[in-house]
Amino acid sequence: MPSTSQTVDLNDVQATVLRPRPSPYCGQYIVLKINDAAQGRAMVGRLIPHVASASRWWEPSYMGWLGIVFTYSGLAALGLPQDSLDSFPDEFKQGMAARANVLHDTGPNAPEHWLTPFGSKDVHVALAIYAKDAPSLEECLSLARTVHEGLPGIEVLYRLNFSELPGGRNPFGYRDGLHNPPIEGTAESASQGPTSAAPQAAAVKEVEPPLKAGEILLGYEDELGKVAQTPVPEALRLNGSFAAIRMYQANVASFRRFLRDNSNSPEEEELLAAKMVGRWRSGAPLVLAPETDNPQLGQDNVANDRFSYSDDERGLLCPAGAHIRRINPRDALKNDIVNVKLHKFIRRGTNFGHPLPEGVFEDDGAERGGVFLLIGTDLGRQFEFVQSQWIANGDFVHLGNEQDPMVGNNGPDAQFTIPKKPLRRRINGVPQFVTLRGGEYCFMPGIKALRWIASLGA
Ligand code: HEM
């Protein structure tokens, strides 16, 4: 029987779901194709001892860890039984590229412009290796190499290195990786934990009640009071999650020109940058630091996440169209029928490439950007809902077809509205600041489920 207990079996959950990335961090994503099912399962079996669990996730991270996910075609290539394959949700079976219209992945973001191999049926397995420094990464990578030694049926299709940018910033200069929802049953022992993330998770709970574990992990009750019965068998689904992976190129020079062209001073540029995201680049949220930045607050990962929009209904402090208020409205939609808890997920992001040097306003053609893993149990009502209704549309906050100013498919007709007294400010012609370079829907099984996969056909 599926467990309805809300105490999560952390030993069986992959670390990537709950463990924050180390700081500093570096790592590599590796995309694999399986040309031989038995060799694919042998590789999974060899990998299992190196796939870290979420056990004591709140303690400072060790040398590094490895996470593994599978696409639908990957599970088929591993020889999963047909009834099991058929039991997966339609979005996952179709894959992200096939969902481009639902997701508004059109124009420059359309799958036909993605990097090879993304969006093709060749993407089967993705590994994420997180490490605290370059020597630790090298050690993890040499381990990873041994797992497909002597298995010619495994092909490496793509690799991407990632690393922390100076100051823990993203390519646009914002501190990132700040907010994630607390999950019921995952931090029970947190108060006994020594330091670091656990007290932080506990503190966040004061303003944000924890999300039911079933929103993030299969096998537990979700916010609708249900325990998922698919995919089958139970051994495959328990402690598993789905992940939407999105790889974005950051168009930093265009962002800098936009700030410069729509401001009269460097201070105004910073305020406009804060209005677009909802946080200053230091990480300080606008509702707590409305007029000037508060870098000390930005550095305090507990205090900078302890806020609500209840005193800012009109968006005079943080615009309703700002990235973080759209994508995680907290209590801003409490008078609407929408239940925001049904549209949350865990976000694990990393940055790649070198920062564009300060003062440069022309694109240098270098690859830089972010890769996001948006993790939950229901791709449709979590990631797809947020992407299509809150990022690519403004109806829910009476902004018509205005999109997210940072991650929307913007262009010559795009607008960004900043509520202001006596008159709102509306900026026309917001360019597209990020371009989707690839994406996949993946399944991230629990650790026992990996053993189940490895043992198929044995
Ligand atoms: C390259 C693309 C993106 C950029 C530049 C970006 C930027 C940011 C920044 C600067 C923050 C505030 C700091 C933090 O909490 O990390 C943030 C928060 C967040 N972003 Fe994004 N983001 C991007 C893509 C996405 C995507 C694709 C999603 C999900 C579909 C997403 C969901 C969120 C969420 C849920 C938060 C936390 C909101 C809160 O603090 O209440 N972001 N993002």
Side-chain angles (χ1 to χ4, degrees), residues 125-149:
V125 178
L127 305 179
I129 298 171
Y130 300 83
K132 64 180 170 62
D133 52 31
S136 313
L137 175 61
E138 198 31 59
E139 224 168 294
C140 296
L141 284 173
S142 51
L143 258 176
R145 277 189 283 272
T146 61
V147 301
H148 60 93
E149 254 168 27

Side-chain angles (χ1 to χ4, degrees), residues 174-179 279 323 327-328 330 347 372 407:
Y174 296 84
R175 266 200 88 211
D176 74 353
L178 303 182
H179 171 84
R279 288 184 189 264
H323 176 65
I327 230 161
N328 180 26
R330 299 185 183 221
R347 180 178 48 117
F372 294 84
V407 295

